Amino acid sequence: MMLNVLVVGLLVMTSAWSQADEKATVGCPTPQYVFSWNLSGPCFDAPRGGTTQGAPVTLSTEPSAAWKALQAPGLSDFERDRRAILAMTGGYRASFEFVETMGFSTDYTPARPYQSWGTEYVYVVEDRGDFISLQHIMVMVFQNEEGRLSEPMVMKHWRQDWQYEGLELLAYVGKARWQRQRLSRSEVKGRWVQSVYQVDDSPRYASVGRWQHTGSFSAWESETTWRPLPRRESSVRSDYEVLEGVNRHVILPSGWVQEEENLKLVLGDKAQPAAYLAKELGNNRYQRIVDFDFSEGDRYWRETGAYWQLVRQQWTQMFDAHPGFSLRKVKDGKPLFAALFELADKYKGDAFSEAPAQRAVAQILDDYRRE
């Protein structure tokens, strides 16, 4: 098993579509992409994103057991909501696609679309009935030009927590700052708060929404929410500071889709909206796969689960002690996620020792926190 903490969240794979399209860009390709950008004149490069070739996968052709459980008659609204959330667990080919659909200035130039994919397993971390926590872990196998496959590379990915009728959430307010936000009982009645965390369990965004169920799909939609720039953007963009958008999870017989509808927002000095640059649509498709070996992901989570539980506990203590706080992206040349992942490697398996690990994690969080 390989685990490279310095590229966590970055090593996703290119698709056959984007590779073929890259070859077609010579001399300006035939019209590509959607929303009529091909009519506006520019000759787009191939999408940016993954730079490696993934191993072939086999998509499931049958509705999942989780989907069948979700369709059972006579369920309460609450239990059907729970089954929709739990239906996101399992092994998937996860594809990530983003394209800007409009710009808000006369000199606007469309950004290159983003496209990549990976193989990912979603684990249940905790299920207390009205609270469900799901951890995403990528298990990547790469294929070289001769067709030989690499050893699996494991990367702890994002986490999503779901709280039924949660009365508070941790809202992103811009400038790398989060603020605790109280909700009224009438606001959350029959609804779920989804909180999303980054690879190091630091906060990303949170919002409240209601599940809708039909015989064809189940869907949850957030309210309009601020989010910090994702790594796919922060690594190449510095001309805006916030994604303001709606997040939608749609459960299907073959998996699920996360849809995003985002505005790219520039902030003023006091973290107030100053200007919108563009609108972006995202489509993250989780297609259930069969006969893929996720055992290295199982082993990583088994060996590091106690450590990451401690990390989550330390984050929660910090949230409770500091209703508003900011986070440094880097300290002494080291990103926060790198510092925490180095500790995960130190305290995995039999090497885990709660007291020293707790002290080390608490020190890191204190070092990277700003009031």
Side-chain angles (χ1 to χ4, degrees), residues 131-319:
F131 174 83
I132 300 173
S133 179
L134 305 179
Q135 176 65 58
H136 296 234
I137 293 184
M138 303 191 87
V139 180
M140 315 284 281
V141 176
F142 304 101
Q143 182 172 279
N144 65 18
E145 293 180 356
E146 288 75 37
R148 289 195 294 270
L149 301 180
S150 71
E151 292 296 314
M153 175 175 284
V154 179
M155 291 177 284
K156 179 175 175 289
H157 207 194
W158 61 292
R159 185 179 107 241
Q160 47 175 320
D161 287 356
W162 295 82
Q163 177 67 63
Y164 183 66
E165 295 185 348
L167 291 174
E168 67 176 30
L169 55 79
L170 203 57
Y172 183 64
V173 295
K175 306 293 185 182
R177 185 170 181 81
W178 286 261
Q179 191 78 36
R180 189 181 302 167
Q181 178 182 328
R182 294 287 299 175
L183 304 171
S184 68
R185 294 193 179 277
S186 60
E187 284 181 285
V188 302
K189 184 174 177 57
R191 305 169 83 194
W192 291 77
V193 171
Q194 185 208 35
S195 300
V196 171
Y197 300 88
Q198 313 207 62
V199 298
D200 52 16
D201 291 312
S202 61
R204 179 154 170 73
Y205 61 89
S207 190
V208 62
R210 187 182 304 276
W211 281 95
Q212 169 196 1
H213 303 284
T214 75
S216 302
F217 65 89
S218 291
W220 177 91
E221 183 173 306
S222 75
E223 295 182 340
T224 299
T225 307
W226 278 22
R227 286 176 273 178
L229 269 61
R231 197 176 304 278
R232 65 178 170 82
E233 287 283 89
S234 62
S235 60
V236 298
R237 300 282 294 266
S238 59
D239 55 340
Y240 75 100
E241 297 162 278
V242 168
L243 281 177
E244 179 185 281
V246 172
N247 178 36
R248 186 179 301 109
H249 287 236
V250 184
I251 312 301
L252 305 169
S254 58
W256 55 285
V257 176
Q258 181 191 11
E259 296 180 311
E260 297 183 25
E261 187 172 348
N262 299 321
L263 294 173
K264 297 184 175 182
L265 174 61
V266 178
L267 299 182
D269 292 339
K270 297 184 178 181
Q272 297 300 311
Y276 292 99
L277 295 187
K279 180 177 179 178
E280 168 192 81
L281 295 183
N283 189 5
N284 303 325
R285 190 180 303 276
Y286 290 78
Q287 296 171 285
R288 196 172 295 274
I289 57 178
V290 296
D291 300 328
F292 187 88
D293 185 4
F294 283 103
S295 61
E296 288 297 334
D298 298 341
R299 183 169 72 146
Y300 174 79
W301 194 234
R302 187 169 57 249
E303 290 181 345
T304 64
Y307 166 79
W308 288 112
Q309 180 182 22
L310 186 151
V311 171
R312 295 193 301 273
Q313 291 170 350
Q314 290 299 300
W315 276 116
T316 298
Q317 289 184 24
M318 196 186 87
F319 302 157

Side-chain angles (χ1 to χ4, degrees), residues 307-364:
Y307 166 79
W308 288 112
Q309 180 182 22
L310 186 151
V311 171
R312 295 193 301 273
Q313 291 170 350
Q314 290 299 300
W315 276 116
T316 298
Q317 289 184 24
M318 196 186 87
F319 302 157
D320 292 342
H322 304 278
F325 61 91
S326 299
L327 291 175
R328 306 176 193 273
K329 293 182 179 180
V330 177
K331 185 178 186 296
D332 298 330
K334 182 179 292 186
L336 171 58
F337 76 83
L340 288 173
F341 270 80
E342 286 178 2
L343 277 185
D345 192 53
K346 178 179 179 180
Y347 288 112
K348 68 182 180 181
D350 293 339
F352 178 74
S353 181
E354 183 173 357
Q358 184 179 44
R359 288 193 296 270
V361 171
Q363 185 62 59
I364 288 174

Side-chain angles (χ1 to χ4, degrees), residues 66 69-70 75-89 124 126-134 162-164 190 192 211 213 218 251:
L70 176 57
L75 299 177
S76 66
D77 291 342
F78 171 72
E79 180 58 27
R80 205 173 297 278
D81 291 353
R82 278 180 35 80
R83 295 191 184 193
I85 295 168
L86 291 169
M88 288 185 277
T89 61
V124 177
E126 190 173 356
D127 181 359
R128 301 197 304 260
D130 64 351
F131 174 83
I132 300 173
S133 179
L134 305 179
W162 295 82
Q163 177 67 63
Y164 183 66
W192 291 77
W211 281 95
H213 303 284
S218 291
I251 312 301

